[in-house]
Amino acid sequence: MRLADSSAIDARRRLRPPGIAFGGDYNPEQWPEEVWAEDVALMKEAGVSLVTAGIFSWAKVEPRPGEYDFGWFDRVMDHLAGAGVAVCLATMTASPPPWLSRLHPGILPETADGRRMWPGGRQHYCPSSRVYREHAVRLVERLANRYADHPALEMWHIGNEYGCHTPMCWCDESAADFRRWLAERYGDVEALNDAWSTAFWAQRYDSFDEVLPPRLAPTFPNPAQQLDFARFSDDALLQCYLAEKEVLRRITPDVPVTTNFIGVHKPVDAFRWAAEEDVVSVDVYQDPHDDSTHIAAGFIFDVTRSARAGQPWMLMEQAPSAVNWRDRNGPKPPGRMRLWSWQAVAQGADAVLYFQWRQSRGGAEKYHSAMVPHGGTDTRIFREVSELGHELGSVPEIAGTRSTAEVALVLDWNSWWALELDSHPSTALNQMEIALAHYRPLFEDGIACDVVPPDRDLSGYRLVVVPNLYLLKEPDAERLTAFVRGGGHLLVSFFSGIVDECDRVHLGGYPAPLREVLGLRVEEFWPLAENETVDIRHADGTVGRADLWSEAVVPEGAQAVADFGCGPLAGQPAVTRHSFGEGSAWYVATRLAPEAMRALTQDVCRAASAGPLLPGLPEHVQATVREGDAGRFLFLLNHGRDAAEIQLPEPMTDALTQGATPTDRLTLPAAGVAVLVEP
Ligand code: GAL
């Protein structure tokens, strides 16, 4: 078993040739059996090597409690094996069958205001429900025993998009589970009272039995209770996953397991979950109507790659063209699906899969694109999908290679949950917006970036970017301080280092645990009104803009890089720099407009000697490198609308247009992709 190495996704490859896996969700139960033979024939035509099957099959394989009908699924697996298509087999537990909630209505989730969520959609189960978990585990046990030795089985796909529709449940069973979880965390109720600051508003508990989830209340529920409920809810989902994983490990110890994250999703702490997976996988749906969709996707890809420290990962779902769930669902214009698929590979993916293989005829997703559209194979979508399948298949040597970065951006789910609680100086702070505001200039300037939790080893980085790390534990603050003292560079944005893990303010002047390294104190928060902006004046006379937030900063060793140019804080520092130990630390006390943020990030990167992979690239061209035993691959992707002229540092060959002579200049058309290798 080689689960921990770089090619974890290859750990049990039997059918599939080595290389980037290509395929999608396969839902054969939606079609009569005659269609299945055509399915596998077309899969071969399209270069499909891996499908993820059975995600929504529970009601068909267990039509009545404890009565199983696997015969039809055996035939699906045999068809696939016969065609040499490997299976990432779903555990089938994502959508319970109607009989389960009819017999046990207690499995149905409840909202904070006590409304029950009924079956009829999917994911209608309370994550704490013992009955749900028992039935899920019973099914998984059957499945694992039945298919353990099936030649098509390559890996397990546990559940599906945990927390997508039901990330939290406030029912009585969840309440009891929450109390159990709290008793384990705190030991005795006085520790809970202390952690939750229950002296406030007469909230003191005399016993754990009195504690409830933060249900609808007349006013703000206790923030520490809300924060613990977010932790608990993430954990309840993880327990569902782990219960299934335990069965799979026992019966099929050499088969890797994964579960697909929904992009970077607030309810599910990807860093914590990734430790429980053999391969990380993610679903990313770029929006053709959004010009910067590839930057948001780039962020998700970097989080996914970093979640298991650079190990290759799987793009488990993307749409071949349009989705059905936005208000307006634009198709992907010609070439964009290829470009965005290659983007995932360029950022470390070893699998490019779609939702879904054949477009549904009925049901809620019939207008969601699929690899085989309603119109069949004589369609743009099928042609583009097949071309990509063969193109990816032509460069197997990329699989298993990795990338490195000199810059890390810090993301912490606990802090995210705490930052976005109510009753704050401003409820307009959004963790993803501010993280992306910091990520964007790095992406645009071609600076490779990992996204890491605050307790990760930072010693390999030159620059660490910390957007809104509101909740900060002392040891993590000490790690950041030591990083700068030892010569690292740090960029921290406003409202960071404010509370401890119980959402209690760190006393001693904001942001107490970061004051030393930043060389300043924040005396007052000064959030701005909706649509209000302020000027930022730099020493060289340039003026930028900022909005959302400002702070009264008192320097204690830090130098002002820019001041507020107007408003009540006029003349006070808006951006500072502090030389500390062998390194330096910047602080941004407001939300800079994108141009000002880009200029600041460039200054900070220059000081940190963290440069782009390829200096002087045209705007909108992304460059990444993956390397390993098979060589060094330079990926160039043109996200712009015009062709781009690119000067390479030395003559190289494009692996996608094999046979071409090495060149040091190339023209990349709009949406063009090149994978360059040194000759
Ligand atoms: C995902 C889900 C798939 C499908 C897809 C449509 O959230 O895992 O089953 O619903 O979205 O975009």
Side-chain angles (χ1 to χ4, degrees), residues 25 56 122 160-161 164 260 283 285 317 323-325 355 365 368:
D25 278 22
F56 299 106
R122 63 176 174 184
N160 188 61
E161 289 196 339
C164 175
N260 48 338
D283 301 346
Y285 288 90
E317 290 181 22
V323 299
N324 65 306
W325 39 262
F355 178 83
E365 291 180 331
H368 193 294

PDB file of all heavy atoms in Angstrom, residues 25 56 122 160-161 164 260 283 285 317 323-325 355 365 368, ligand 1:
ATOM      1  N   ASP A  25     -19.006  11.561 -12.652  1.00  0.00           N
ATOM      2  CA  ASP A  25     -20.047  10.848 -11.899  1.00  0.00           C
ATOM      3  C   ASP A  25     -20.861  10.023 -12.886  1.00  0.00           C
ATOM      4  O   ASP A  25     -21.335  10.546 -13.903  1.00  0.00           O
ATOM      5  CB  ASP A  25     -21.013  11.844 -11.237  1.00  0.00           C
ATOM      6  CG  ASP A  25     -20.482  12.393  -9.919  1.00  0.00           C
ATOM      7  OD1 ASP A  25     -19.261  12.355  -9.709  1.00  0.00           O
ATOM      8  OD2 ASP A  25     -21.313  12.880  -9.125  1.00  0.00           O
ATOM      9  N   PHE A  56     -25.945   8.105  -5.743  1.00  0.00           N
ATOM     10  CA  PHE A  56     -27.348   8.202  -5.317  1.00  0.00           C
ATOM     11  C   PHE A  56     -28.088   6.873  -5.533  1.00  0.00           C
ATOM     12  O   PHE A  56     -29.230   6.846  -5.965  1.00  0.00           O
ATOM     13  CB  PHE A  56     -28.030   9.373  -6.045  1.00  0.00           C
ATOM     14  CG  PHE A  56     -27.363  10.683  -5.716  1.00  0.00           C
ATOM     15  CD1 PHE A  56     -26.547  11.335  -6.633  1.00  0.00           C
ATOM     16  CD2 PHE A  56     -27.512  11.248  -4.456  1.00  0.00           C
ATOM     17  CE1 PHE A  56     -25.897  12.516  -6.306  1.00  0.00           C
ATOM     18  CE2 PHE A  56     -26.871  12.431  -4.117  1.00  0.00           C
ATOM     19  CZ  PHE A  56     -26.060  13.068  -5.049  1.00  0.00           C
ATOM     20  N   ARG A 122     -32.465  15.932  -1.253  1.00  0.00           N
ATOM     21  CA  ARG A 122     -31.424  14.967  -0.881  1.00  0.00           C
ATOM     22  C   ARG A 122     -30.737  15.474   0.387  1.00  0.00           C
ATOM     23  O   ARG A 122     -31.015  16.577   0.834  1.00  0.00           O
ATOM     24  CB  ARG A 122     -30.412  14.781  -2.023  1.00  0.00           C
ATOM     25  CG  ARG A 122     -29.653  16.048  -2.369  1.00  0.00           C
ATOM     26  CD  ARG A 122     -28.600  15.800  -3.445  1.00  0.00           C
ATOM     27  NE  ARG A 122     -28.002  17.080  -3.839  1.00  0.00           N
ATOM     28  CZ  ARG A 122     -27.110  17.218  -4.796  1.00  0.00           C
ATOM     29  NH1 ARG A 122     -26.716  16.168  -5.479  1.00  0.00           N
ATOM     30  NH2 ARG A 122     -26.610  18.397  -5.088  1.00  0.00           N
ATOM     31  N   ASN A 160     -21.129  12.216  -0.045  1.00  0.00           N
ATOM     32  CA  ASN A 160     -20.980  13.148  -1.168  1.00  0.00           C
ATOM     33  C   ASN A 160     -21.182  14.560  -0.645  1.00  0.00           C
ATOM     34  O   ASN A 160     -22.183  14.846   0.009  1.00  0.00           O
ATOM     35  CB  ASN A 160     -22.026  12.878  -2.260  1.00  0.00           C
ATOM     36  CG  ASN A 160     -21.762  13.709  -3.514  1.00  0.00           C
ATOM     37  OD1 ASN A 160     -20.711  13.579  -4.133  1.00  0.00           O
ATOM     38  ND2 ASN A 160     -22.692  14.571  -3.870  1.00  0.00           N
ATOM     39  N   GLU A 161     -20.220  15.406  -0.884  1.00  0.00           N
ATOM     40  CA  GLU A 161     -20.319  16.817  -0.488  1.00  0.00           C
ATOM     41  C   GLU A 161     -20.948  16.958   0.905  1.00  0.00           C
ATOM     42  O   GLU A 161     -22.036  17.538   1.063  1.00  0.00           O
ATOM     43  CB  GLU A 161     -21.105  17.620  -1.519  1.00  0.00           C
ATOM     44  CG  GLU A 161     -20.344  17.805  -2.812  1.00  0.00           C
ATOM     45  CD  GLU A 161     -20.924  18.905  -3.698  1.00  0.00           C
ATOM     46  OE1 GLU A 161     -22.107  19.253  -3.528  1.00  0.00           O
ATOM     47  OE2 GLU A 161     -20.183  19.422  -4.549  1.00  0.00           O
ATOM     48  N   CYS A 164     -23.325  19.964   2.362  1.00  0.00           N
ATOM     49  CA  CYS A 164     -23.764  20.828   1.251  1.00  0.00           C
ATOM     50  C   CYS A 164     -25.121  21.445   1.575  1.00  0.00           C
ATOM     51  O   CYS A 164     -25.284  22.650   1.558  1.00  0.00           O
ATOM     52  CB  CYS A 164     -23.837  20.004  -0.023  1.00  0.00           C
ATOM     53  SG  CYS A 164     -24.489  20.914  -1.413  1.00  0.00           S
ATOM     54  N   ASN A 260     -15.573  14.247  -1.459  1.00  0.00           N
ATOM     55  CA  ASN A 260     -15.408  15.475  -2.255  1.00  0.00           C
ATOM     56  C   ASN A 260     -15.860  16.715  -1.490  1.00  0.00           C
ATOM     57  O   ASN A 260     -17.000  16.817  -1.076  1.00  0.00           O
ATOM     58  CB  ASN A 260     -16.159  15.353  -3.588  1.00  0.00           C
ATOM     59  CG  ASN A 260     -17.584  14.840  -3.428  1.00  0.00           C
ATOM     60  OD1 ASN A 260     -17.933  14.203  -2.439  1.00  0.00           O
ATOM     61  ND2 ASN A 260     -18.422  15.140  -4.399  1.00  0.00           N
ATOM     62  N   ASP A 283     -14.896  19.736  -5.525  1.00  0.00           N
ATOM     63  CA  ASP A 283     -15.807  20.076  -6.622  1.00  0.00           C
ATOM     64  C   ASP A 283     -15.726  21.583  -6.862  1.00  0.00           C
ATOM     65  O   ASP A 283     -15.916  22.359  -5.919  1.00  0.00           O
ATOM     66  CB  ASP A 283     -17.251  19.711  -6.240  1.00  0.00           C
ATOM     67  CG  ASP A 283     -17.392  18.219  -5.911  1.00  0.00           C
ATOM     68  OD1 ASP A 283     -16.468  17.455  -6.240  1.00  0.00           O
ATOM     69  OD2 ASP A 283     -18.427  17.852  -5.341  1.00  0.00           O
ATOM     70  N   TYR A 285     -17.021  24.639  -9.509  1.00  0.00           N
ATOM     71  CA  TYR A 285     -17.870  25.033 -10.629  1.00  0.00           C
ATOM     72  C   TYR A 285     -17.577  26.469 -11.020  1.00  0.00           C
ATOM     73  O   TYR A 285     -18.150  27.406 -10.465  1.00  0.00           O
ATOM     74  CB  TYR A 285     -19.344  24.843 -10.240  1.00  0.00           C
ATOM     75  CG  TYR A 285     -19.717  23.385 -10.183  1.00  0.00           C
ATOM     76  CD1 TYR A 285     -19.597  22.646  -9.016  1.00  0.00           C
ATOM     77  CD2 TYR A 285     -20.139  22.732 -11.334  1.00  0.00           C
ATOM     78  CE1 TYR A 285     -19.905  21.288  -8.990  1.00  0.00           C
ATOM     79  CE2 TYR A 285     -20.446  21.377 -11.312  1.00  0.00           C
ATOM     80  CZ  TYR A 285     -20.335  20.667 -10.145  1.00  0.00           C
ATOM     81  OH  TYR A 285     -20.637  19.325 -10.132  1.00  0.00           O
ATOM     82  N   GLU A 317     -15.494  17.037  -9.287  1.00  0.00           N
ATOM     83  CA  GLU A 317     -16.630  17.483 -10.096  1.00  0.00           C
ATOM     84  C   GLU A 317     -16.334  18.861 -10.664  1.00  0.00           C
ATOM     85  O   GLU A 317     -15.808  19.730  -9.970  1.00  0.00           O
ATOM     86  CB  GLU A 317     -17.899  17.632  -9.242  1.00  0.00           C
ATOM     87  CG  GLU A 317     -18.510  16.365  -8.748  1.00  0.00           C
ATOM     88  CD  GLU A 317     -19.785  16.644  -7.940  1.00  0.00           C
ATOM     89  OE1 GLU A 317     -20.399  17.721  -8.113  1.00  0.00           O
ATOM     90  OE2 GLU A 317     -20.140  15.793  -7.126  1.00  0.00           O
ATOM     91  N   VAL A 323     -24.227  24.941 -15.449  1.00  0.00           N
ATOM     92  CA  VAL A 323     -24.871  24.277 -14.313  1.00  0.00           C
ATOM     93  C   VAL A 323     -26.359  24.644 -14.338  1.00  0.00           C
ATOM     94  O   VAL A 323     -26.829  25.329 -15.253  1.00  0.00           O
ATOM     95  CB  VAL A 323     -24.224  24.685 -12.964  1.00  0.00           C
ATOM     96  CG1 VAL A 323     -22.768  24.289 -12.948  1.00  0.00           C
ATOM     97  CG2 VAL A 323     -24.402  26.167 -12.678  1.00  0.00           C
ATOM     98  N   ASN A 324     -27.092  24.185 -13.364  1.00  0.00           N
ATOM     99  CA  ASN A 324     -28.533  24.475 -13.321  1.00  0.00           C
ATOM    100  C   ASN A 324     -28.909  25.283 -12.088  1.00  0.00           C
ATOM    101  O   ASN A 324     -30.061  25.617 -11.895  1.00  0.00           O
ATOM    102  CB  ASN A 324     -29.327  23.164 -13.266  1.00  0.00           C
ATOM    103  CG  ASN A 324     -29.051  22.427 -11.968  1.00  0.00           C
ATOM    104  OD1 ASN A 324     -27.896  22.163 -11.628  1.00  0.00           O
ATOM    105  ND2 ASN A 324     -30.085  22.132 -11.213  1.00  0.00           N
ATOM    106  N   TRP A 325     -27.920  25.566 -11.196  1.00  0.00           N
ATOM    107  CA  TRP A 325     -28.306  26.044  -9.867  1.00  0.00           C
ATOM    108  C   TRP A 325     -27.996  27.509  -9.610  1.00  0.00           C
ATOM    109  O   TRP A 325     -28.270  28.001  -8.525  1.00  0.00           O
ATOM    110  CB  TRP A 325     -27.698  25.161  -8.784  1.00  0.00           C
ATOM    111  CG  TRP A 325     -26.299  24.692  -9.038  1.00  0.00           C
ATOM    112  CD1 TRP A 325     -25.931  23.486  -9.548  1.00  0.00           C
ATOM    113  CD2 TRP A 325     -25.085  25.421  -8.804  1.00  0.00           C
ATOM    114  NE1 TRP A 325     -24.557  23.406  -9.640  1.00  0.00           N
ATOM    115  CE2 TRP A 325     -24.008  24.577  -9.191  1.00  0.00           C
ATOM    116  CE3 TRP A 325     -24.773  26.691  -8.303  1.00  0.00           C
ATOM    117  CZ2 TRP A 325     -22.674  24.964  -9.095  1.00  0.00           C
ATOM    118  CZ3 TRP A 325     -23.447  27.079  -8.206  1.00  0.00           C
ATOM    119  CH2 TRP A 325     -22.412  26.213  -8.606  1.00  0.00           C
ATOM    120  N   PHE A 355     -19.243  16.388 -13.086  1.00  0.00           N
ATOM    121  CA  PHE A 355     -20.613  15.985 -12.843  1.00  0.00           C
ATOM    122  C   PHE A 355     -21.321  16.301 -14.146  1.00  0.00           C
ATOM    123  O   PHE A 355     -21.359  17.471 -14.525  1.00  0.00           O
ATOM    124  CB  PHE A 355     -21.273  16.740 -11.693  1.00  0.00           C
ATOM    125  CG  PHE A 355     -22.698  16.305 -11.545  1.00  0.00           C
ATOM    126  CD1 PHE A 355     -23.010  15.168 -10.844  1.00  0.00           C
ATOM    127  CD2 PHE A 355     -23.717  16.995 -12.190  1.00  0.00           C
ATOM    128  CE1 PHE A 355     -24.314  14.729 -10.768  1.00  0.00           C
ATOM    129  CE2 PHE A 355     -25.027  16.548 -12.112  1.00  0.00           C
ATOM    130  CZ  PHE A 355     -25.324  15.422 -11.396  1.00  0.00           C
ATOM    131  N   GLU A 365     -31.802  18.135 -12.076  1.00  0.00           N
ATOM    132  CA  GLU A 365     -30.551  18.525 -12.734  1.00  0.00           C
ATOM    133  C   GLU A 365     -30.564  18.258 -14.236  1.00  0.00           C
ATOM    134  O   GLU A 365     -29.517  18.135 -14.858  1.00  0.00           O
ATOM    135  CB  GLU A 365     -29.371  17.829 -12.042  1.00  0.00           C
ATOM    136  CG  GLU A 365     -29.179  18.416 -10.646  1.00  0.00           C
ATOM    137  CD  GLU A 365     -28.048  17.832  -9.836  1.00  0.00           C
ATOM    138  OE1 GLU A 365     -27.724  16.652 -10.032  1.00  0.00           O
ATOM    139  OE2 GLU A 365     -27.504  18.566  -8.993  1.00  0.00           O
ATOM    140  N   HIS A 368     -28.553  20.659 -16.179  1.00  0.00           N
ATOM    141  CA  HIS A 368     -27.119  20.714 -15.863  1.00  0.00           C
ATOM    142  C   HIS A 368     -26.391  19.991 -16.989  1.00  0.00           C
ATOM    143  O   HIS A 368     -26.763  18.886 -17.362  1.00  0.00           O
ATOM    144  CB  HIS A 368     -26.883  20.005 -14.530  1.00  0.00           C
ATOM    145  CG  HIS A 368     -25.528  20.242 -13.928  1.00  0.00           C
ATOM    146  ND1 HIS A 368     -24.371  19.794 -14.507  1.00  0.00           N
ATOM    147  CD2 HIS A 368     -25.162  20.891 -12.798  1.00  0.00           C
ATOM    148  CE1 HIS A 368     -23.340  20.151 -13.741  1.00  0.00           C
ATOM    149  NE2 HIS A 368     -23.803  20.820 -12.704  1.00  0.00           N
TER     150      HIS A 368
HETATM  151  C1  GAL B   1     -22.718  18.880  -6.631  1.00  0.00           C
HETATM  152  C2  GAL B   1     -23.185  17.474  -6.304  1.00  0.00           C
HETATM  153  C3  GAL B   1     -23.615  16.706  -7.547  1.00  0.00           C
HETATM  154  C4  GAL B   1     -24.442  17.570  -8.435  1.00  0.00           C
HETATM  155  C5  GAL B   1     -23.653  18.798  -8.804  1.00  0.00           C
HETATM  156  C6  GAL B   1     -24.355  19.735  -9.759  1.00  0.00           C
HETATM  157  O1  GAL B   1     -23.014  19.709  -5.580  1.00  0.00           O
HETATM  158  O2  GAL B   1     -22.199  16.763  -5.628  1.00  0.00           O
HETATM  159  O3  GAL B   1     -24.329  15.572  -7.143  1.00  0.00           O
HETATM  160  O4  GAL B   1     -25.603  17.926  -7.774  1.00  0.00           O
HETATM  161  O5  GAL B   1     -23.375  19.528  -7.635  1.00  0.00           O
HETATM  162  O6  GAL B   1     -23.563  20.864 -10.030  1.00  0.00           O
END
